[in-house]
Amino acid sequence: MTTEAHALSQLEALVAHGPRFHGTETMRAASAWVESELVVMGHAVRREPVSLPGWHPGTVRRVLVTAPVERELPAWPMLWSAGTDGVVRGHLEVLGPEGIWGDSIVWQRFGVRDTRGRIAAVVHARDDGPAAPQPLPAGSDDGVAHLAIGRLDGLQLAEWIADHERVTVEVSLDSGPRDRSVSDNLIVEIAASEPGSSDPAVSGTVVVCGHLDSFYNTVGAYDNGSGSIALLELARLWAVSPPPRPVRIVWFTAEEWHLLGSRHHVEQLDPAARDAIDFVLNIDGLGRGDHLETFVGPERFGFAVRDAIRAYARATARTLTTVDRFPPTRGTDDASFHAAGIPSVFCTFNDLHRLHQPEDVPDPAIARNIAWTVPLARSLAETMPRPERTPAPGLL
């Protein structure tokens, strides 16, 4: 079996468990499958429980425009949204932009002002692509319904309102809180092939990570079954040929829940354990295309990573378009480490039109990018020198 065919087979086996939403039975089944694969390789697996306030998405999610034309908009409840008490009726008004994952992306908000004059629901229009759920920003009103719609529907609503049309809607949603939800981070510690290396540049630990969980509405082949399988393949390689420095592989839960799995992990590390980490390599979303995005901090570390990736692309005759963003986004697990002053790399073949969609299913092009990324990740983890530490970022 070729490397790509093996990656596709592994990805199909993982997503066969269903959506891996934090705290669900399907997430537990997927975690057990990953653990069983690792045990067969000879690795010991440590489970790190992450307990969070629970939430369920419900089954009713409706945004119906009743004027100036009648149209039902595809919509998903935002994570942690309250439900409605029956049907909320009112007119829309523009509330202004909002940052999702900090200021990583910017969406538009519309308020539904009901007949009593209250903002009784909020409609969130995505910046690009079809409707896709996201976690609510911190400080959101947890007493009203929040639903996500797609970019084009948001542009149409904004145009009507700008043209002084009265836009009326009916909103129904039955999501809401539930008892606490628990899933586990899965951790594998891989010892160096040469313990006590005399080279201080590669003697610390590298954390190679990705999130295992998905959103409630998708099996998440791209986001992030792909990264999870890439981690399994790295674990398989290192089981046979250990790296020259210690490596910790972590499959995080609750990335989709404001990074709470990786935040919990970082909070458990004492100062000495944090300092022992040379850098973090986060693999999140190896989509179908040839557009590779990297997010690296500190900036000088990013220069070195950029050069290494370009050299690997030339060596593999891979034609890519690339974007190197600084500072790192706050939308995935490396941000938990970056916020603690630990150097980090985030790699993704972004596939935004599959993000948090039921259509995010296994694809040979995803498997191709898994197979291409694994040797790159192995090389970065094994050879990149320890970056110089910079102070943890402040507010800006």
Side-chain angles (χ1 to χ4, degrees):
M1 183 181 293
T2 67
T3 304
E4 292 180 21
H6 177 69
L8 182 59
S9 174
Q10 290 285 93
L11 184 60
E12 289 171 340
L14 173 63
V15 305
H17 295 94
R20 301 177 303 282
F21 200 47
H22 175 83
T24 60
E25 288 298 328
T26 48
M27 177 59 168
R28 281 187 276 277
S31 295
W33 179 82
V34 170
E35 183 174 15
S36 69
E37 291 287 305
L38 292 165
V39 169
V40 168
M41 297 175 203
H43 292 299
V45 181
R46 177 165 65 90
R47 285 180 171 262
E48 185 177 64
V50 180
S51 177
L52 303 172
W55 179 84
H56 65 88
T59 58
V60 176
R61 49 179 187 273
R62 192 171 192 228
V63 177
L64 175 66
V65 177
T66 54
V69 298
E70 185 167 311
R71 178 186 303 167
E72 185 163 348
L73 308 183
W76 296 101
M78 298 284 276
L79 175 56
W80 291 309
S81 172
T84 59
D85 184 11
V87 178
V88 169
R89 296 179 175 85
H91 69 274
L92 283 184
E93 56 186 64
V94 174
L95 296 179
E98 69 175 338
I100 301 291
W101 295 112
D103 58 355
S104 297
I105 51 178
V106 179
W107 287 15
Q108 180 63 268
R109 291 178 305 146
F110 300 89
V112 180
R113 193 170 293 277
D114 67 11
T115 55
R116 297 171 59 183
R118 307 169 303 169
I119 298 294
V122 178
V123 176
H124 305 250
R126 191 179 174 189
D127 63 326
D128 192 17
Q134 290 282 11
L136 286 172
S140 298
D141 186 344
D142 61 4
V144 302
H146 294 261
L147 294 105
I149 62 172
R151 174 178 180 270
L152 293 181
D153 287 331
L155 289 175
Q156 179 64 82
L157 296 177
E159 181 178 342
W160 280 331
I161 294 170
D163 288 343
H164 305 291
E165 297 273 9
R166 184 174 176 84
V167 181
T168 57
V169 296
E170 295 180 357
V171 173
S172 303
L173 185 64
D174 66 346
S175 64
R178 67 176 185 190
D179 293 338
R180 296 190 71 81
S181 296
V182 181
S183 291
D184 299 324
N185 295 329
L186 303 180
I187 304 167
V188 169
E189 302 281 358
I190 301 176
S193 58
E194 301 175 6
S197 169
S198 60
D199 183 356
V202 294
S203 60
T205 297
V206 171
V207 175
V208 184
C209 64
H211 69 94
L212 181 59
D213 66 312
S214 72
F215 240 92
Y216 57 79
N217 62 337
T218 178
V219 298
Y222 146 67
D223 180 28
N224 181 38
S226 59
S228 297
I229 297 304
L231 297 185
L232 270 181
E233 294 309 300
L234 287 164
R236 197 180 313 277
L237 292 171
W238 282 322
V240 175
S241 180
R245 72 198 324 160
V247 172
R248 177 182 305 140
I249 307 179
V250 189
W251 289 258
F252 286 118
T253 187
E255 188 267 359
E256 304 291 6
W257 296 46
H258 279 185
L259 318 182
L260 287 169
S262 57
R263 286 164 62 183
H264 173 79
H265 180 75
V266 173
E267 287 167 1
Q268 306 311 303
L269 302 176
D270 61 34
R274 294 187 186 190
D275 188 60
I277 298 173
D278 282 352
F279 62 90
V280 173
L281 172 57
N282 181 35
I283 304 173
D284 185 357
L286 303 177
R288 297 165 294 167
D290 297 301
H291 181 61
L292 177 65
E293 298 185 29
T294 56
F295 304 72
V296 189
E299 188 175 27
R300 184 175 298 277
F301 183 38
F303 302 157
V305 170
R306 175 188 179 94
D307 290 346
I309 290 175
R310 287 184 169 185
Y312 177 70
R314 287 193 299 269
T316 56
R318 182 73 186 268
T319 301
L320 298 171
T321 59
T322 60
V323 169
D324 305 294
R325 174 170 170 169
F326 175 80
T329 174
R330 286 188 268 173
T332 185
D333 288 311
D334 55 284
S336 299
F337 295 87
H338 179 69
I342 300 170
S344 64
V345 183
F346 162 41
C347 291
T348 180
F349 282 93
N350 232 326
D351 206 347
L352 289 176
H353 283 261
R354 288 282 176 92
L355 182 71
H356 301 173
Q357 300 295 319
E359 296 79 14
D360 182 9
V361 296
D363 187 289
I366 297 176
R368 174 187 180 223
N369 278 334
I370 294 172
W372 184 84
T373 301
V374 166
L376 170 62
R378 182 182 187 182
S379 176
L380 293 174
E382 291 185 353
T383 66
M384 293 297 292
R386 177 182 174 94
E388 182 180 350
R389 285 287 207 268
T390 59
L395 180 61
L396 298 179

